[in-house]
Amino acid sequence: MREETKKISGRGNLSASKLFIFVLIFFVFALFNSFFVLTARAATIYLAPATGDYKVGEIFSVGIYVSSPEQAMNAVAGSILFPAEKLEIISMSKDGSIVNIWIQEPAFSNSAGTINLEGIVLNPRFIGSAGKVMTVNFKAKSTSRAEINFSSSYLLANDGQGTNILSGAENAIFDFGATAGAHRRPGAA
């Protein structure tokens, strides 16, 4: 009888160690999985250049780009705000865009200070760090500083789920003076 108890008892210890190993493996797997879920959301939408000094009346170009270096993306959408009293859009160009089909043709309103766009990237989708969406040509209207901001945006993964992988949007700030560089920000080179 005592031998049977020892065997059962020994089996119980073995089960406890197996349970401990199982729980340990589960937590390691969960931690590993959450790391990849976090890195999968490493896509950004940004404006380039992000800064600049221009003369009043000068026309300058700002590119809208996406970066999704680790996960294929297949859709982009954005609403961008700019100060209508300081900037005017002269034109927009889709030349060289990674977008193949525009769900909403890029449109702007100089009176409202808005740009809206929504498009799809066909196979092989986009993975990379500088995917050009489009270019906007602005004209500086007054001596001032102007911020161009994403008010909303998304980048969708090519994962069959339409997962928004956007982790951030990078805005831009421009200065305008009577001559280029005349209205520099403090500390700017």
Side-chain angles (χ1 to χ4, degrees):
M1 195 66 145
R2 285 188 181 187
E3 283 183 31
E4 286 178 32
T5 306
K6 284 183 181 177
K7 287 181 183 176
I8 293 173
S9 214
R11 212 180 283 156
N13 288 340
L14 185 59
S15 293
S17 64
K18 282 184 179 179
L19 180 63
F20 174 76
I21 290 172
F22 174 77
V23 170
L24 181 64
I25 290 171
F26 176 77
F27 281 114
V28 168
F29 178 75
L31 180 65
F32 185 72
N33 227 10
S34 67
F35 171 75
F36 281 106
V37 168
L38 290 175
T39 58
R41 290 185 52 92
T44 57
I45 189 166
Y46 62 96
L47 301 170
T51 62
D53 294 302
Y54 302 97
K55 293 188 298 186
V56 172
E58 186 174 356
I59 296 172
F60 63 99
S61 298
V62 177
I64 301 169
Y65 291 88
V66 294
S67 174
S68 185
E70 298 190 16
Q71 185 168 6
M73 51 122 342
N74 65 0
V76 58
S79 293
I80 301 168
L81 303 175
F82 63 92
E85 69 282 357
K86 299 175 183 179
L87 291 171
E88 174 185 357
I89 295 178
I90 302 301
S91 64
M92 296 193 306
S93 172
K94 300 180 290 185
D95 290 345
S97 178
I98 62 167
V99 175
N100 306 103
I101 298 173
W102 293 95
I103 303 300
Q104 177 182 347
E105 278 292 323
F108 66 89
S109 168
N110 277 325
S111 60
T114 59
I115 302 169
N116 293 294
L117 58 100
E118 188 172 359
I120 295 174
V121 181
L122 298 176
N123 277 331
R125 311 302 185 206
F126 176 76
I127 297 177
S129 60
K132 182 179 177 184
V133 177
M134 63 181 297
T135 302
V136 182
N137 298 305
F138 287 99
K139 181 179 181 181
K141 292 169 63 174
S142 64
T143 301
S144 60
R145 170 179 284 167
E147 287 190 49
I148 303 173
N149 301 306
F150 287 94
S151 62
S152 66
S153 53
Y154 64 79
L155 298 175
L156 300 184
N158 184 27
D159 62 359
Q161 307 276 323
T163 305
N164 186 2
I165 56 173
L166 183 69
S167 62
E170 299 173 16
N171 303 317
I173 300 175
F174 299 100
D175 290 309
F176 312 112
T179 61
H183 191 77
R184 289 190 185 272
R185 291 179 300 283

